[in-house]
Amino acid sequence: MNVYDAVTTRRAVRGFTDQPIPQPALERVLSAAAWSPSGSNLQPWHTYVVTGAPLAELKKRVGERLAAEDSWDEPQYEMYPPELKSPYRERRSAFGTQRYGALGISREDVEARQRAAADNWACFGAPAALFCYIDRDMGRPQWSDVGMYLQTVMLLLRAEGLHSCTQMAWAKFHKTVAQVLSPPSELILFCGMSIGFEDPTIIHPRTGRAPLDETVSFVSG
């Protein structure tokens, strides 16, 4: 698979089979992803890959918190600005309309939306999950480095015939994740990522992208 194919076929898949992922494939992906760029080669990412019994235990613990209507953990970072301005507000709204509309869930059906959101913490059925941490002392440039690393991981997963879905939703239960993974206290959980083989019986429309002239300016002589 060439780079263009990897980029254009990568998408947030929210339905996976339970087919196990060969360990060598994950090792190839993460070994190659280590070459992702980072300022002064800090490599500020800290990655945990979870499968099998530990992942089942994590899903169970979060499921119990959801059933008990336990409140989310206090945020360790701000996911979105409190007031999204245009055009970001409209893009986010369009995503929500498309995502829940494909599931037949109306904007007013809050309970159904919550049930759909709960699938995040079941990894959408994926047999593997990646959890990416960053040292709390790192600054904005290092957070961008982590983003480049995660993008590299996702593209390499496509080369292995795998799909993924990055999920900041896991940060809402960072304490429960820490109970299973026991990360050092100086680390912040940025996101999780579900990894697996796509379930072709679950169809979700792909989100669109802004036209090139809306996001890119060519400055030439």
Side-chain angles (χ1 to χ4, degrees), residues 25 74 212:
E74 71 279 3
L212 196 64

Side-chain angles (χ1 to χ4, degrees), residues 60-145:
K60 173 178 172 291
R61 293 191 185 199
V62 174
E64 289 171 349
R65 288 188 62 178
L66 290 170
E69 298 184 352
D70 193 2
S71 58
W72 291 336
D73 298 332
E74 71 279 3
Q76 295 181 297
Y77 67 92
E78 188 174 78
M79 292 187 180
Y80 301 100
E83 295 295 332
L84 277 177
K85 62 184 180 181
S86 183
Y88 316 111
R89 179 179 61 252
E90 291 82 5
R91 291 174 186 167
R92 186 181 187 187
S93 178
F95 164 75
T97 299
Q98 183 179 36
R99 161 93 174 111
Y100 293 109
L103 298 173
I105 300 173
S106 68
R107 179 181 293 274
E108 296 74 25
D109 195 340
V110 177
E111 185 177 341
R113 283 182 169 235
Q114 290 175 337
R115 286 197 304 269
D119 289 341
N120 273 286
W121 300 293
C123 295
F124 302 108
L130 177 153
F131 294 92
C132 189
Y133 286 80
I134 184 171
D135 193 301
R136 65 180 70 250
D137 291 335
M138 294 292 100
R140 291 183 180 179
Q142 289 75 54
W143 283 75
S144 71
D145 292 342

Side-chain angles (χ1 to χ4, degrees), residues 134-219:
I134 184 171
D135 193 301
R136 65 180 70 250
D137 291 335
M138 294 292 100
R140 291 183 180 179
Q142 289 75 54
W143 283 75
S144 71
D145 292 342
V146 168
M148 290 190 283
Y149 168 76
L150 291 169
Q151 171 79 338
T152 302
V153 169
M154 289 185 284
L155 296 182
L156 290 167
L157 288 170
R158 290 301 303 121
E160 296 286 347
L162 295 162
H163 275 283
S164 61
C165 181
T166 48
Q167 302 157 274
M168 287 191 296
W170 277 105
K172 297 181 182 296
F173 289 107
H174 62 84
K175 290 183 178 179
T176 302
V177 178
Q179 289 171 359
V180 176
L181 303 185
S182 300
S185 60
E186 66 268 21
L187 298 185
I188 291 174
L189 176 60
F190 172 43
C191 71
M193 180 190 296
S194 296
I195 300 172
F197 294 96
E198 182 179 12
D199 182 348
T201 68
I202 299 176
I203 303 209
H204 295 296
R206 188 171 189 185
T207 55
R209 293 295 185 268
L212 196 64
D213 60 5
E214 192 174 307
T215 60
V216 178
S217 297
F218 290 97
V219 182

